[in-house]
Amino acid sequence: MPVKRSNEIKGQHVREAKRLLSLGYQPSAVALRLERFGISRATSFRDVALASTQMDSENMELDVDTAPTPMLEQRDAMLRDLEQAWMEASAQHNVSELMQLSRAFERLHRMGGNQSQKY
């Protein structure tokens, strides 16, 4: 029988979902990422839905005419996220994950050159 998460743990998962959603990731990708915390697929989708609802309520002045994020800005956000995951895998000495992340990092970096070193 699964153990119920504490409110603190659930809050951490929802905050992580909000962070990833704000970077422009699709909800399904965010839910998949949350499953790494050992929660079920259904729970991860509920956390993403809750994060999305909270973000909507926090941003009531959203402009519906806002242009979508340009591809290079999305790429830079993904590079930042990959860099964080790479540092975590490095700290854990997870060689197979480091190799996968390095390949993903290279592919993203080739999507248009490095526009900014600020990530």
Side-chain angles (χ1 to χ4, degrees):
M1 181 170 197
V3 177
K4 184 174 176 166
R5 297 180 295 172
S6 68
N7 287 337
E8 182 180 336
I9 299 290
K10 181 178 179 179
Q12 290 173 353
H13 294 165
V14 171
R15 281 190 297 279
E16 178 67 5
K18 286 167 64 172
R19 183 183 74 80
L20 294 170
L21 288 170
S22 70
L23 289 172
Y25 289 106
Q26 295 295 319
S28 57
V30 174
L32 183 63
R33 176 70 184 237
L34 290 180
E35 286 182 52
R36 292 178 138 196
F37 294 121
I39 59 177
S40 71
R41 182 176 207 79
T43 300
S44 67
F45 274 99
R46 283 192 295 271
D47 286 353
V48 170
L50 178 60
S52 180
T53 301
Q54 287 180 3
M55 287 175 65
D56 287 345
S57 67
E58 292 168 0
N59 299 315
M60 294 306 267
E61 300 102 23
L62 286 177
D63 184 7
V64 293
D65 296 327
T66 303
T69 307
M71 186 59 159
L72 286 178
E73 288 181 28
Q74 290 179 11
R75 182 207 58 146
D76 286 345
M78 290 185 276
L79 282 171
R80 285 191 297 273
D81 191 48
L82 274 173
E83 186 177 35
Q84 291 297 315
W86 192 87
M87 287 189 294
E88 291 172 18
S90 179
Q92 297 169 1
H93 305 290
N94 187 339
V95 176
S96 63
E97 189 171 349
L98 281 171
M99 289 172 32
Q100 290 175 345
L101 289 168
S102 294
R103 283 192 296 273
F105 192 86
E106 287 174 24
R107 282 187 218 115
L108 275 174
H109 199 275
R110 280 188 246 133
M111 282 177 59
N114 190 7
Q115 298 297 316
S116 169
Q117 289 293 331
K118 296 178 184 173
Y119 67 86

